[in-house]
């Protein structure tokens, strides 16, 4: 018998918990920042409406209707589609390997926050002390990039233990844990937001966040970033929502839950942006520099700019430091175990293995591979893999899902399922999004991005990293997807359930 959520609402809380994650607080603000500021919110919203919500409904339907994690659900849609499910799961697996590393940074900082260990120079703290990459690069001792960053080992182990035990405890356990890990960070974000906007200089930071450079809307990269961020932030195209929905009782509502999840996620990202930028405005004010100079680029926003701001806080800096990093950790935790669960569920389905053994295998493998990301060169690997998986992997899986299900199975049939059980009925727009709008946009984006990538290869990264962390990596995922499809599974246990579908 397939496991089931044990209380009404557990599913949507878990889905929101998965969607709302580091992507909202760590990724969203810097993606906005590097793609034209406030103007980015337009493509972002368009992406949510045309791709995010329809795909979310599609994934919810696949999971609940076909009672399986991504590969099995796809297989039941049509046997030759199984590989698409595996690609999703494998992309998810790739993400969890580095996502857990960032979770470890968060834990490391939580510890550091108790003593405001970074002092006034959070940049040096991150790169020298936590990641331990800078001294190696400066010395040109690239060989040492393979050593582990000693300060991340313990947090990485602790993070994985948490993920492992939660997944190990099954759907019942997941349902319990998300009662805390979903609402808690949201409440903490509200507290941090009030703190942020009442600091002097906050307005300048917010102007910077929301000031728009509309010329960026003509830039295809910006649109690609928007779609990539929507997939990442809504945990789409990784098999998660399919796995979670496969634990729903029959006849559960689809569209209502999809709207709640998508809009809840967007709202949280927007609020997290306010937290980060208002506080950055304060840093600029304190340093007497323009806001853009106070902003660390990229991943630095949450791990450099914000910690620096914390040390400057007029009252209770330790408290706000601790709150911030508890937020980061709890944001990331439920997303991390959702990713792990997607893989675990897929393997359980295919090989008819028990949950406990599968959890050990999947977490163990992800842990070992993830060591790459807590090595001293880990940041470089992380950048590469994050970029490739998000810009190509997820977009590709999203595209294929739309094509095979929308055309190969029938978007209208899926819509029929949705409307059978949902309070909010969906119209033909759903078919149009799944069959035309989303695929066309994704194809254009993928093509443009591929052309760009070949025109100007990534600079500043050693070639082997580009190969292993980029194309080579994507190639392995593609091949593995087919291999897994070809392997004969032992689905008897769940196949007998098919009557339930
Ligand atoms: N959606 C989560 C976030 O925004 C991240 C995530 C990505 C979770 C991929 C699962 C899978 O952080």
């Amino acid at each position: 018998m397939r496991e089931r959520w044990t209380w009404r609402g557990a599913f949507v809380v878990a889905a929101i918990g998965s969607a709302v994650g580091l992507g909202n607080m760590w990724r969203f603000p810097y993606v906005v920042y590097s793609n034209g500021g406030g103007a980015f919110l337009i493509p972002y919203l368009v992406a949510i409406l045309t791709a995010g919500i329809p795909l979310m409904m599609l994934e919810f339907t696949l999971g609940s209707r076909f009672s399986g994690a991504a590969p099995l659900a796809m297989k039941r849609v049509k046997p030759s589609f199984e590989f698409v499910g595996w690609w999703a799961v494998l992309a998810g697996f790739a993400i969890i390997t580095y996502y857990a590393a960032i979770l470890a940074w968060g834990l490391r900082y939580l510890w550091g926050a108790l003593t405001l260990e970074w002092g006034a120079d959070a940049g040096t703290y991150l790169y020298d002390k936590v990641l331990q990459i800078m001294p190696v690069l400066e010395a040109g001792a690239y060989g040492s990039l393979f050593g582990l960053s000693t300060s991340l080992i313990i947090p990485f182990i602790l993070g994985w233990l948490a993920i492992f035990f939660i997944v190990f405890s099954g759907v019942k356990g997941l349902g319990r844990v998300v009662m805390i890990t979903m609402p808690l960070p949201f409440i903490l974000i509200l507290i941090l937001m009030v703190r942020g906007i009442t600091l002097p200089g906050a307005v300048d930071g917010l102007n910077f966040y929301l000031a728009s450079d509309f010329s960026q809307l003509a830039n295809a990269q910006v649109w690609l970033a928007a779609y990539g961020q929507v997939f990442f932030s809504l945990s789409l195209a990784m098999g998660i929502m399919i796995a979670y929905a496969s634990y729903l009782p029959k006849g559960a509502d689809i569209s209502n839950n999809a709207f709640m999840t998508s809009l809840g996620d967007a709202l949280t990202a927007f609020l997290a942006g306010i937290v980060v930028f208002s506080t950055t405005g304060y840093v600029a004010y304190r340093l007497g520099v323009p806001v853009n100079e106070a902003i660390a680029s990229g991943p630095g926003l949450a791990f450099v700019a914000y910690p620096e701001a914390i040390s400057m806080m007029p009252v209770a800096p330790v408290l706000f430091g601790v709150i911030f990093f508890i937020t980061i950790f709890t944001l990331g935790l439920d997303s991390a175990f959702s990713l792990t669960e997607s893989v675990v569920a897929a393997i359980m389905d295919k090989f008819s293995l028990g949950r406990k053994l599968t959890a050990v295998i999947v977490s163990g493998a992800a842990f070992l591979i993830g060591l790459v990301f807590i090595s001293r060169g880990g940041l470089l690997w992380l950048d590469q893999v994050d970029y490739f998986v998000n810009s190509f992997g997820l977009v590709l899986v999203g595209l294929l899902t739309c094509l095979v299900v929308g055309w190969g199975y029938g978007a209208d049939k899926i819509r029929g399922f949705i409307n059978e059980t949902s309070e909010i009925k969906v119209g033909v727009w759903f078919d149009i999004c799944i069959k035309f709008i989303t695929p066309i946009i994704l194809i254009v984006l993928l093509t443009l991005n591929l052309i760009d990538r070949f025109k100007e290869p990534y600079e500043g990264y050693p070639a082997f990293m580009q190969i292993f962390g980029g194309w080579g990596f994507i190639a392995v995922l593609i091949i593995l997807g087919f291999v897994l499809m070809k392997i004969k599974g032992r689905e008897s246990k769940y196949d007998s359930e098919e009557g339930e579908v």
Side-chain angles (χ1 to χ4, degrees), residues 18-19 21-24 95 99 232-235 238 240 335 338-339:
S18 167
L22 297 175
N24 301 59
I95 292 180
Y99 201 80
F232 185 87
S233 195
L234 294 182
S235 305
M238 283 164 269
I240 294 175
S335 304
S338 72
L339 276 167

Side-chain angles (χ1 to χ4, degrees), residues 305-328:
Y306 204 89
E308 224 148 64
I310 290 169
S311 359
M312 294 181 189
M313 294 245 175
V315 278
V318 171
L319 178 68
F320 286 105
V322 169
I323 292 183
F324 183 75
F325 287 104
I326 290 182
T327 310
I328 293 278

Side-chain angles (χ1 to χ4, degrees), residues 309-367:
I310 290 169
S311 359
M312 294 181 189
M313 294 245 175
V315 278
V318 171
L319 178 68
F320 286 105
V322 169
I323 292 183
F324 183 75
F325 287 104
I326 290 182
T327 310
I328 293 278
F329 182 70
T330 50
L331 275 176
L333 184 63
D334 43 16
S335 304
F337 63 67
S338 72
L339 276 167
T340 314
E341 175 63 27
S342 158
V343 186
V344 167
I347 295 185
M348 285 169 66
D349 281 354
K350 174 104 191 179
F351 301 102
S352 210
L353 292 181
R355 166 173 291 275
K356 304 217 149 97
L357 177 63
T358 315
V360 172
I361 297 173
V362 173
S363 314
F367 173 85

